[in-house]
Amino acid sequence: YTEFYLKDGRKEVVSKPMGEYKKLENIPYFMKTHRSFLINLKEVERYQKEDGGYIVMNSGDIVNISRYRKEAFLSAIQKI
């Protein structure tokens, strides 16, 4: 299953694995930050460095970021 957290606060659950949505990574401002998370960079509130680093979204949700994707994330967020 894949969970989509929408901007209006709703959550949609779809019975397809996240791999089915790989093409979303090619859409501007979308980035995979972890094997379990694909986010809209325009909805990032802040990046927290403690505890290995994590992302806080405008909705207040916490998103993990892998150590392998952290530099790419920091670079991408600087361009927005």
Side-chain angles (χ1 to χ4, degrees), residues 47-55 63-65 70:
Y47 170 72
Q48 292 293 133
K49 291 182 183 179
E50 58 263 357
D51 297 328
Y54 60 90
I55 301 162
V63 176
N64 292 328
I65 184 163
K70 186 171 21 177

Side-chain angles (χ1 to χ4, degrees), residues 64-76:
N64 292 328
I65 184 163
S66 77
R67 61 182 169 176
Y68 303 108
R69 299 175 195 259
K70 186 171 21 177
E71 290 302 318
F73 166 76
L74 293 173
S75 176

Side-chain angles (χ1 to χ4, degrees), residues 5-9 28-31 38-47 55-63 73 77 80:
Y5 293 84
L6 305 177
K7 193 172 181 176
D8 65 5
Y29 304 112
F30 278 80
M31 178 178 212
L38 178 71
I39 65 168
N40 181 341
L41 294 171
K42 288 188 169 187
E43 294 299 317
V44 171
E45 182 177 311
R46 69 183 183 277
Y47 170 72
I55 301 162
V56 179
M57 303 300 290
N58 288 334
S59 64
D61 291 310
I62 304 293
V63 176
F73 166 76
I77 205 72
I80 295 178

Side-chain angles (χ1 to χ4, degrees), residues 1-48:
Y1 291 95
T2 300
E3 296 177 353
F4 288 91
Y5 293 84
L6 305 177
K7 193 172 181 176
D8 65 5
R10 292 181 298 130
K11 178 173 85 170
E12 296 288 332
V13 179
V14 181
S15 63
K16 291 184 181 181
M18 192 163 152
E20 293 285 321
Y21 302 99
K22 185 158 179 65
K23 62 185 172 194
L24 291 176
E25 289 182 72
N26 296 325
I27 297 173
Y29 304 112
F30 278 80
M31 178 178 212
K32 191 169 183 177
T33 60
H34 189 274
R35 64 184 168 138
S36 302
F37 296 98
L38 178 71
I39 65 168
N40 181 341
L41 294 171
K42 288 188 169 187
E43 294 299 317
V44 171
E45 182 177 311
R46 69 183 183 277
Y47 170 72
Q48 292 293 133

